[in-house]
Amino acid sequence: MNRLNVVINDDFRNADKYIEDGSIDLVVTSPPYNIDLGNNKYNKSPYDLYIDNKDHRKYLLFLHQIFVKVYDKLKPGGRVVINIGDGKNGAVPTHSDVIKIMVGIGFIPHSTIIWDKHTTSNRAAFGSFVSPSSPSFPCPFEYILIFAKEFRRLKYKGMTDLTKDEFVEWAYGIWSFAPEKNKKDKHPSPFPRELPHRAIKMLSWVGATVLDPMCGSGTTLAEAKILKRNYIGFDISEQYCETSRDELLKA
């Protein structure tokens, strides 16, 4: 029996102790991007415990280990939503590596959404200014990658809380909303509530169980609670687990 509606201070690779195989309906998560937070010129706040500057091959192995375990825990027809950005203004195509990892594990690609973040903070990163020598192309967007296990269509029926207007607006490959700013003091890289809000309503029934294997500040969990889904979150940082629990109390 799963431990539902909890935040677990443990590495998700140890999930067998807490979650049964084939029991999760939806995963919404944003793994670390491996962009050296804390030493990154656009973000000087490091993670509490996680080292965000791994050798790229070790980073991809870490992601593979996480999502192999995710595959085991998902129901047939379960979906995975991964928010990821590329490194070095697109020179490190991390989203492409993630797609290869997921397909190699056995996931079925379902869709790719471009998240337009409305940001221009690194617009002055021109590279070789007024020269074709080595221009830079700052990316004011990230990817939202969606995968399914075994079936693209949900195998289990339930009740939806989607409105017609929401469906029409969100069933489009570009989502536009600003990034999260208010929780930077609690976590170096939180995503906005709007992202899991849309993903949970578009991709799960009311009463589904939503998992975030790297829950950070608890945004996915809080939104799942508000939308009357069960939630399970994991994080290696006790500090972030406490932040998640605080967010849940407010939800």
Side-chain angles (χ1 to χ4, degrees):
M1 181 68 69
N2 284 356
R3 295 177 57 187
L4 294 177
N5 304 321
V6 292
V7 182
I8 299 170
N9 181 206
D10 201 349
D11 190 315
F12 181 71
R13 289 172 289 187
N14 299 322
D16 289 343
K17 296 189 292 185
Y18 312 97
I19 305 178
E20 294 177 353
D21 287 353
S23 63
I24 301 297
D25 296 286
L26 174 66
V27 173
V28 181
T29 195
S30 184
Y33 293 3
N34 207 41
I35 55 174
D36 199 13
L37 289 187
N39 296 307
N40 185 310
K41 64 181 178 179
Y42 301 114
N43 193 326
K44 298 299 183 182
S45 301
Y47 285 104
D48 179 22
L49 296 176
Y50 179 80
I51 304 301
D52 193 47
N53 189 27
K54 291 179 168 61
D55 172 83
H56 195 64
R57 288 170 296 182
K58 291 182 179 179
Y59 170 66
L60 298 182
L61 175 61
F62 161 73
L63 294 182
H64 185 273
Q65 291 169 341
I66 292 291
F67 289 109
V68 163
K69 191 63 65 177
V70 163
Y71 190 91
D72 291 342
K73 301 309 171 189
L74 274 178
K75 294 177 180 177
R79 283 81 176 271
V80 183
V81 179
I82 304 172
N83 167 222
I84 194 75
D86 290 340
K88 297 184 179 179
N89 289 331
V92 180
T94 309
H95 84 281
S96 177
D97 291 325
V98 170
I99 293 171
K100 291 176 184 176
I101 287 170
M102 299 298 280
V103 171
I105 290 170
F107 286 99
I108 301 169
H110 187 95
S111 191
T112 298
I113 296 169
I114 300 299
W115 170 23
D116 176 5
K117 299 169 63 179
H118 297 174
T119 57
T120 57
S121 60
N122 60 346
R123 184 63 187 89
F126 292 114
S128 56
F129 187 63
V130 198
S131 167
S133 175
S134 185
S136 179
F137 299 90
C139 303
F141 63 87
E142 294 182 8
Y143 296 89
I144 301 171
L145 309 174
I146 306 175
F147 302 90
K149 177 180 176 178
E150 297 182 16
F151 309 101
R152 285 173 58 89
R153 183 182 296 272
L154 280 179
K155 188 175 180 181
Y156 306 97
K157 296 293 183 182
M159 184 180 75
T160 181
D161 51 358
L162 266 174
T163 68
K164 178 182 176 181
D165 288 345
E166 286 172 339
F167 187 88
V168 170
E169 180 184 354
W170 301 344
Y172 181 64
I174 300 177
W175 287 358
S176 298
F177 46 83
E180 178 63 57
K181 295 180 180 179
N182 296 330
K183 294 194 287 185
K184 290 283 188 180
D185 59 329
K186 299 176 182 177
H187 189 276
S189 186
F191 55 32
R193 186 72 67 84
E194 185 67 16
L195 195 159
H197 178 81
R198 295 186 185 196
I200 291 168
K201 293 192 78 172
M202 285 291 285
L203 296 166
S204 72
W205 308 115
V206 174
T209 299
V210 179
L211 166 71
D212 189 340
M214 296 164 279
C215 67
S217 57
T219 308
T220 293
L221 312 184
E223 195 59 32
K225 179 183 177 183
I226 290 168
L227 294 174
K228 296 181 171 55
R229 273 70 166 178
N230 296 304
Y231 59 84
I232 307 174
F234 284 77
D235 206 284
I236 60 172
S237 167
E238 177 58 32
Q239 176 184 331
Y240 297 158
C241 287
E242 286 303 315
T243 298
S244 294
R245 294 178 186 119
D246 289 343
E247 288 295 310
L248 287 160
L249 286 174
K250 295 182 231 175

